Amino acid sequence: MIEILKIDKVGLLKYINSDEYRDATIVPISRHRAQSHIANPKAREHDVLLFLAMEGPVMVGYLGVLPDDFQVSDNDSLHIGWMSCLWVDEKHRGKKIAQQLIKTCFESWENKILLTEFTEAAGKLYEKMGIFLPFLNVEGQRWYIKSTLKTILPPKKEIFKRMTTLLSFIDISINLFLGIKTIFAYKSIQDFKYQFFSQINDEIRNFVDENSKNEMFRRRGNDLDWILNYPWILSCDADMGISQIYHFSSVEQHFLCKGLEIRNQQGFLVDIVIFTVRNGHLRLPYIYYTDSDAFVNGILFLLKNFSIKTCTIYHEGALDAIRAKNVMRAISKKVTRKYLISSVLQKNIHSENRLLQDGDGDCAFT
């Protein structure tokens, strides 16, 4: 018989400090991800953050929830949860453990659940359960700034694993050609001043507050501080073996989450960008800008300074600004991010005229 255990914010701190967690061969959450959940400014004391499916003393599945607040109006919000992970031991599949976890999650959160970036298999399960409705399909763009055939192709087919030397040579040739051709046409990076940050000061806090009023999930300074300082992914030198016992991303060869402030020549703050770089892939979870020229230059500044290989953006305004300047000359393709919402929650919220940022949900952490 399957029993579903619930762990709230208070219980999660006790759990990751317990002998049970320390001695586990499979864990439902990494320690740094748990610490991030606990530090979440939107998390309430008794929010259930983790659901464990237990068959006797054995954990056979788990599901996580990230608390958030949906901005119903300028002065009113609705407390909701994002489903952020779902795992079932393959030895125990067929027992409807995933359905039990989701059902218990919905009951605990009074059906106020959203999710995004789910697998195709998970999507079929959610559709079969009939408890979710499509919420939004957000169109984005992905640019391939540098050729990375040596990284992309070997995992796909065995033959490419024997061609790494050739693929490396092809990458070098393509990237040399791209460098000569010049991927970017916009060359006024020097017209603006750039400064990285990892802490939110009063100036940044006030700028974000002023430019986030129309967001679905309005971020304040303390929210951005949390995102910057409590990542779910660490560089591989901090692995400590967690990748062997946790089934979701927790470490990478390189992961960076920083803020970039952009000032004009007079020294006035005009744009703020929160960005992540994961093994050469640039994403922009949160963008607050008043000057599109400065923003576009800021993107070029990031591409140059971090030797970016690929870049993905879903923010509609940001995409419009980039396209208007015709600065991205790299190969690109359209990408779509799907969002689902519980049928009950759909009746209580309205998304018209409100902005969904790229990092909303758990996307700022992955």
Side-chain angles (χ1 to χ4, degrees), residues 89-135:
D89 188 334
E90 60 182 12
K91 299 176 184 176
H92 295 269
R93 289 173 185 171
K95 299 179 180 180
K96 296 189 175 181
I97 294 171
Q99 289 90 328
Q100 293 179 61
L101 284 165
I102 295 170
K103 182 175 180 291
T104 306
C105 169
F106 268 56
E107 291 171 351
S108 298
W109 278 88
E110 299 178 337
N111 297 294
K112 299 171 184 175
I113 293 292
L114 295 108
L115 75 154
T116 188
E117 296 211 324
F118 46 88
T119 65
E120 182 178 348
K124 291 179 179 178
L125 171 63
Y126 303 143
E127 182 179 354
K128 183 179 180 181
M129 292 183 70
I131 55 177
F132 284 106
L133 294 172
F135 181 46

Side-chain angles (χ1 to χ4, degrees), residues 64-99:
V65 176
L66 180 69
D68 206 344
D69 292 326
F70 185 94
Q71 205 69 30
V72 178
S73 66
D74 291 344
N75 300 310
D76 190 23
S77 62
L78 184 66
H79 197 54
I80 61 94
W82 293 88
M83 279 175 47
S84 64
C85 65
L86 174 62
W87 174 84
V88 174
D89 188 334
E90 60 182 12
K91 299 176 184 176
H92 295 269
R93 289 173 185 171
K95 299 179 180 180
K96 296 189 175 181
I97 294 171
Q99 289 90 328

